Amino acid sequence: MKYTHLLFDMDNTLYPASSAMDKGITRRMLECVANFFHCTMDEAIALRSERIVHYSTTLEWLRSEGLTDIEGFLAHVHPSNEAEELPPQPGLRDFLISLNMPMSILTNAPHEHADTVLGKLGIADLFEAVTDIRDAGFNGKPYPDSYMAALKKVGATIENTLFLDDMQKYTDGWVALGGTAVLIGSPNGKPLAEDAESMKKARAANTSGKTGKTIRMKSIYEIKGIL
C-alpha cells in the first residue's frame, strides 16, 4: 500500500512517554477527577482506572457524570506553562522533514496545547493541519467523527493515510474503520471495553467491509521501513 499522508497523534508519539510533561498532564487530570468527585487523589486514581475503559477520554467520562465546565477542565489540564516540562527532541525535525510526505496532527487535547507543544519542539510548520478535541464536538479518538474531521481538513482518506498513536484504544478505532495504524512504544494503555460507545460507533462507521491492521513499533523513527 502506498501511503500519501501521515496522521500523527502528538503527545507520547512525537516525543517519548517518559516525558515529565506527560506526568504533569496526568497529575492535573487526576486533580480534576478528585475535585469533581470530592475524593482523595488515591481514590481518584482507582476510580479513573476502573471507569476509563468505558470511555474515549477522561473528559468524556466526567461529562457522562455531569461535568459541564469543559473549558475549565481543559484549562486546568493544559496550563500555558506546561511545555516547560517537555525536554528538547534532537533530530525530530530533521527526521520528519526526511519523510518528505504531507503530515497532520490529530490530538484529543485542545488546539492551544498542540500549538504550545509543536512550537516548543520547533516543528509546527511541518504539519498541514491540527485537529483537536473541539473539532468533533469534544468526542475525540476513537470516535469516527474525530478521524474524519482530521481527514477532511487535508483531503485525505482512510485508505491512503497511515495513522500513528501510542494508545491502543485509538489505533483500534482507526483499524475498526478499515485503516492501517502504527502503535508506538509501550505501554499502550488498556483497550476499551466492548460497551464503549466510541468503539461501537467506529465499527458501525466501517461500511466498506475492509479489515484494518495494526503495526507495532518502538518509535516513529522506525516508520521509514513501511513507507
Side-chain angles (χ1 to χ4, degrees):
M1 173 67 192
K2 178 64 174 178
Y3 303 106
T4 58
H5 192 84
L6 297 176
L7 179 60
F8 287 91
D9 169 53
M10 187 178 66
D11 293 312
N12 301 336
T13 297
L14 292 178
Y15 61 84
S18 58
S19 164
M21 189 177 72
D22 181 64
K23 294 180 177 64
I25 290 171
T26 300
R27 184 189 72 252
R28 292 186 291 271
M29 201 172 294
L30 287 166
E31 288 171 353
C32 290
V33 173
N35 181 64
F36 183 81
F37 289 106
H38 306 289
C39 65
T40 67
M41 282 292 280
D42 285 344
E43 290 169 333
I45 291 169
L47 189 58
R48 181 174 179 267
S49 178
E50 175 189 344
R51 299 302 298 156
I52 197 62
V53 295
H54 302 281
Y55 297 95
S56 60
T57 60
T58 300
L59 176 59
E60 184 192 13
W61 166 43
L62 293 182
R63 289 176 68 197
S64 77
E65 298 283 356
L67 177 73
T68 57
D69 187 8
I70 298 173
E71 293 299 337
F73 172 89
L74 295 175
H76 183 81
V77 174
H78 299 290
S80 59
N81 65 340
E82 65 180 338
E84 294 174 6
E85 303 168 330
L86 180 62
Q89 300 300 312
L92 176 60
R93 180 179 177 84
D94 287 345
F95 170 74
L96 293 173
I97 291 173
S98 75
L99 297 177
N100 195 31
M101 288 181 64
M103 300 179 292
S104 59
I105 296 288
L106 174 58
T107 177
N108 278 353
H111 208 296
E112 54 269 27
H113 170 69
D115 291 344
T116 298
V117 171
L118 295 176
K120 176 69 179 293
L121 295 175
I123 56 174
D125 60 308
L126 302 183
F127 297 95
E128 293 187 349
V130 173
T131 301
D132 79 340
I133 192 68
R134 297 188 186 95
D135 285 319
F138 298 103
N139 287 326
K141 301 170 289 186
Y143 277 97
D145 287 352
S146 178
Y147 303 113
M148 296 308 174
L151 294 173
K152 184 178 180 180
K153 282 190 177 185
V154 296
T157 66
I158 290 282
E159 292 77 17
N160 69 15
T161 300
L162 184 66
F163 173 61
L164 303 95
D165 202 297
D166 68 296
M167 295 293 287
Q168 183 180 341
K169 61 183 177 181
Y170 302 147
T171 56
D172 282 350
W174 183 264
V175 170
L177 293 172
T180 299
V182 176
L183 182 57
I184 299 294
S186 178
N188 303 111
K190 297 178 181 178
L192 283 176
E194 284 297 315
D195 67 346
E197 187 68 18
S198 54
M199 280 302 298
K200 288 194 290 187
K201 289 191 173 184
R203 289 190 291 267
N206 184 356
T207 57
S208 69
K210 294 180 180 178
T211 302
K213 67 176 180 178
T214 302
I215 302 168
R216 288 182 173 270
M217 293 185 180
K218 292 180 180 179
S219 77
I220 61 171
Y221 296 96
E222 298 179 12
I223 65 174
K224 278 191 174 182
I226 61 172
L227 297 180

